[in-house]
Amino acid sequence: MSQKTQNRSPRGLASNSVLRWVFLGIFTFFVAFPLYWMIMNSFKTGTEAFATPPTFLPMQPTVLSYVTSLAMGQHSYGVSFRNFVNSIVVCICTVVICIGLSAPAAYSFSRARLKGSSLMLLFVLLLRMVPPIVIVVPLYSIMRTLGLIDTYPALIIAFVALNMPFAIWLLKGFYDGIPRDLVEAGMLDGCTHFGVFFRIFFPLSLPGLTTGAILVAIGTWNDILVSMVMAREKVKPVSVGLGLLDTQFDTLWAQVMATSVLAILPVIFFAFLVQKNLVRGLTMGAVR
Amino acid sequence: MKLSRPTAAIGFLMIAPAAVVMLGTLGYPIVNSFIMSFQQISQAGYWKTQFIGVTNYLHLLGEPRFQNALRVTAIYTVVAVGCEMVLGFAVALAVFAETRWSRLMRSLYIVPMVMAPVAAGLLWRYMYQPTFGVIDQALMGTGILSKPVIFLGVVGSALPSLLVVEIWQATPFVIIVFVAGLSALPQEPYDAALVDGASGWKLIRYVTLPMLRPIILIIVIIRSMDAFRAFDLVYVMTRGGPASSTETATYYTWISAFREFDLGKSSAAAYIITLVVLLMSIALISSIRSEQQ
């Protein structure tokens, strides 16, 4: 490797090395092929999805799998339209409550100089590290006692709780990055602290709030551990329905793939919206 | 007087609602489950509880199936995080340079990362299907194999097959965090090292890696925490089988709580998992702290 290529990209491998492109090619194939396979097979007929040797493009492309997969959900086998409504309701309520409560707390942790605030923050971090299974077992008994199993509140309460420590840390990370001068200016103009929070901080922290909201929503949408415990038939979300698309002997793979595509499309759409802030979000603001 | 800071009263007022919710929905269950872990809880028409001391813990630690679950979880975590770190760092170095292609690839890598593990598990289970599955077909078509492998149905191959899916989903996270870390590094140390005649691997070994240390630790903490609580992929792909060879600690706990309804034992199991996760995280966090001193 010559000095010249090093200068162009000294942190990485030389930018024009063959090795680099071969390696990237193999890795990208590893990432992309399963995705390609999912999409292709969702457009195949039921029998073609079992064909040997497999076909790389559907011979008779059809959207039948998408139609039947939703129709089959009506018979509690698979994912129904109802399951999508459930997931959407739970995600929206969770995000609104979770971010609504976490944002003021994060603002306070970031800006107020409170006695014991670093200890409280450490405590929040510890809560984030506690595996969900620890909370799920007693929460199940509590919800049973309250008669809330298989209702929206059971799911929403559980998800708000499990996401809050993460949301607080993430938003604190974003708030820490907002310059203090702007806030001082607002104070001099006669804003109260709540005024500063809503008029200055809120707009400035919108990227952070959006990132937080979307990451909480994605986590909630994708979860099965909590949902399987708290939901039965009435409020069953998409993820759980997807997990039940499963019989050892005659799994209808074309339909399974179609349903999977439907189930992950919203998540992918929202993830691309916050792509720029994803790193800070996923590391709870620890890495910019 | 600092104008830009809320007063203590307002500060606490803003934290209070979140604190109440967390104490009620996280704190109380955590304490509750600690108490449950010392009880025998049986379901005989109604829930009957009886204090039995550390019996649940002793039973668990002596039970081969739980020991196996801990071993599977440890292997899963170490192999997954190890592979993801090495692979993720290598790919990050390769896609770091700003070209149109590398930006496109980075967007692509986000897809497996954010998709539901349930969906990822189903997709791979389809590809792992013996005989007609695309992986068996490819291996037999190219003559690497003469007869199909039952990836998820055999003790030796089930866990590695799960790990491939875990690595497929999580390596992109490692990549994008490393890419962010790499672009935040200062240029001067590289210039100095170049003047000293360092190049290629030496730059990476003696300049890049030491400067990335805090970020490496953050990634290891976050990834180990997540890998250690592995549940979704196991549930969708193998249900812990064959012969418990993919039964992780969280899956074991879930089964004993919600299939066998032994809430006392499962609480104890959950506490053992928590203890391990906390010790692991505290060790890693304190090494970051000492790094920053």
Side-chain angles (χ1 to χ4, degrees):
Chain A
M1 274 181 265
S2 76
Q3 196 85 353
K4 214 170 175 187
T5 52
Q6 285 301 324
N7 270 328
R8 226 176 287 151
S9 166
R11 287 156 211 202
L13 300 174
S15 50
N16 52 2
S17 91
V18 179
L19 182 80
R20 170 175 173 242
W21 286 106
V22 170
F23 173 67
L24 263 187
I26 294 172
F27 183 78
T28 304
F29 177 78
F30 170 61
V31 171
F33 182 78
L35 299 173
Y36 165 82
W37 202 239
M38 174 163 63
I39 294 164
M40 277 310 129
N41 281 282
S42 72
F43 290 112
K44 287 182 188 172
T45 59
T47 34
E48 200 186 336
F50 285 90
T52 50
T55 50
F56 284 86
L57 283 171
M59 292 201 290
Q60 304 148 292
T62 168
V63 292
L64 198 68
S65 298
Y66 286 90
V67 179
T68 47
S69 72
L70 282 174
M72 260 170 37
Q74 307 301 329
H75 312 290
S76 82
Y77 174 91
V79 180
S80 67
F81 190 67
R82 177 72 195 265
N83 299 145
F84 275 93
V85 175
N86 289 340
S87 280
I88 292 167
V89 170
V90 170
C91 278
I92 291 176
C93 294
T94 303
V95 165
V96 169
I97 299 173
C98 185
I99 300 296
L101 292 172
S102 306
Y107 170 75
S108 179
F109 278 128
S110 171
R111 283 303 199 265
R113 207 169 262 158
L114 301 177
K115 264 207 191 93
S117 93
S118 66
L119 198 70
M120 279 193 278
L121 263 176
L122 193 69
F123 199 70
V124 175
L125 186 65
L126 284 181
L127 285 180
R128 152 83 171 111
M129 289 173 178
V130 172
I133 187 80
V134 178
I135 290 143
V136 164
V137 176
L139 212 52
Y140 166 74
S141 320
I142 296 169
M143 295 297 177
R144 241 177 72 110
T145 314
L146 297 175
L148 288 177
I149 295 294
D150 207 18
T151 63
Y152 287 135
L155 285 171
I156 294 165
I157 292 170
F159 284 126
V160 167
L162 286 168
N163 281 306
M164 194 173 278
F166 165 75
I168 290 177
W169 267 86
L170 177 145
L171 293 174
K172 183 195 166 282
F174 274 97
Y175 289 149
D176 286 346
I178 294 176
R180 183 149 293 149
D181 308 359
L182 282 169
V183 181
E184 305 227 329
M187 297 297 288
L188 289 173
D189 287 346
C191 282
T192 60
H193 281 288
F194 289 102
V196 167
F197 179 71
F198 286 110
R199 296 218 188 122
I200 300 174
F201 250 72
F202 191 71
L204 279 176
S205 59
L206 263 183
L209 290 173
T210 320
T211 310
I214 288 176
L215 288 177
V216 168
I218 291 177
T220 304
W221 184 279
N222 287 349
D223 167 89
I224 57 166
L225 180 57
V226 176
S227 314
M228 281 200 299
V229 174
M230 300 296 169
R232 297 285 173 273
E233 209 43 56
K234 234 169 56 209
V235 298
K236 190 167 77 181
V238 173
S239 54
V240 175
L242 199 57
L244 294 172
L245 265 182
D246 150 69
T247 45
Q248 290 296 330
F249 306 104
D250 60 340
T251 301
L252 303 158
W253 286 113
Q255 289 182 14
V256 175
M257 291 302 112
T259 317
S260 304
V261 171
L262 289 178
I264 67 173
L265 270 182
V267 164
I268 291 165
F269 170 75
F270 283 112
F272 279 130
L273 276 189
V274 288
Q275 195 182 347
K276 240 174 47 194
N277 285 316
L278 215 51
V279 176
R280 275 172 83 182
L282 290 169
T283 55
M284 301 189 287
V287 177
R288 302 194 107 223
Chain B
M1 198 182 102
K2 272 274 182 190
L3 275 175
S4 66
R5 292 183 188 285
T7 60
I10 293 174
F12 279 116
L13 207 64
M14 294 179 101
I15 294 175
V20 169
V21 170
M22 281 192 290
L23 285 177
T25 52
L26 295 175
Y28 175 67
I30 287 172
V31 173
N32 194 357
S33 122
F34 187 66
I35 296 168
M36 276 158 70
S37 72
F38 296 103
Q39 289 175 332
Q40 185 175 26
I41 303 171
S42 48
Q43 191 186 21
Y46 59 98
W47 296 84
K48 209 172 75 187
T49 56
Q50 188 190 355
F51 182 79
I52 52 166
V54 293
T55 316
N56 283 326
Y57 289 93
L58 292 180
H59 274 181
L60 275 175
L61 293 174
E63 187 186 296
R65 191 168 155 206
F66 185 68
Q67 293 167 355
N68 171 67
L70 283 181
R71 195 176 57 239
V72 169
T73 310
I75 295 171
Y76 189 90
T77 307
V78 171
V79 175
V81 177
C83 292
E84 286 157 19
M85 292 305 289
V86 173
L87 195 57
F89 182 65
V91 177
L93 284 178
V95 292
F96 169 68
E98 280 288 332
T99 66
R100 199 183 315 135
W101 279 103
S102 61
R103 231 170 297 150
L104 196 71
M105 284 178 205
R106 275 187 263 158
S107 299
L108 172 75
Y109 297 163
I110 289 178
V111 178
M113 183 175 84
V114 297
M115 74 191 273
V118 187
L122 282 173
L123 166 59
W124 279 85
R125 223 181 74 192
Y126 174 42
M127 299 202 304
Y128 279 140
Q129 287 297 309
T131 316
F132 74 86
V134 69
I135 299 176
D136 260 352
Q137 283 289 319
L139 291 176
M140 289 194 298
T142 50
I144 297 171
L145 286 176
S146 54
K147 60 180 199 308
V149 176
I150 307 163
F151 290 98
L152 297 173
V154 181
V155 170
S157 64
L159 190 58
S161 305
L162 270 187
L163 278 163
V164 169
V165 187
E166 163 76 30
I167 291 165
W168 181 74
Q169 275 212 285
T171 305
F173 166 76
V174 180
I175 297 170
I176 65 165
V177 179
F178 265 135
V179 167
L182 281 169
S183 38
L185 292 182
Q187 184 61 43
E188 295 82 40
Y190 288 98
D191 295 339
L194 285 171
V195 169
D196 291 346
S199 67
W201 298 111
K202 276 198 168 150
L203 275 179
I204 292 168
R205 169 74 186 79
Y206 294 104
V207 185
T208 308
L209 280 176
M211 287 201 293
L212 280 178
R213 260 194 80 115
I215 285 175
I216 293 173
L217 283 169
I218 288 168
I219 304 177
V220 170
I221 292 175
I222 294 178
R223 282 304 315 139
S224 324
M225 258 167 34
D226 285 348
F228 206 85
R229 51 175 78 153
F231 174 83
D232 298 18
L233 287 178
V234 178
Y235 172 79
V236 182
M237 296 183 73
T238 62
R239 303 274 149 106
S244 297
S245 64
T246 57
E247 190 170 81
T248 57
T250 299
Y251 191 76
Y252 172 95
T253 311
W254 187 79
I255 289 284
S256 64
F258 301 112
R259 289 292 176 269
E260 296 162 2
F261 293 101
D262 192 341
L263 295 186
K265 190 177 82 172
S266 62
S267 298
Y271 257 88
I272 295 174
I273 302 173
T274 309
L275 195 70
V276 176
V277 170
L278 286 185
L279 287 178
M280 209 161 65
S281 317
I282 290 168
L284 286 163
I285 289 174
S286 55
S287 65
I288 291 187
R289 286 263 164 100
S290 64
E291 200 77 19
Q292 286 169 344
Q293 297 295 303

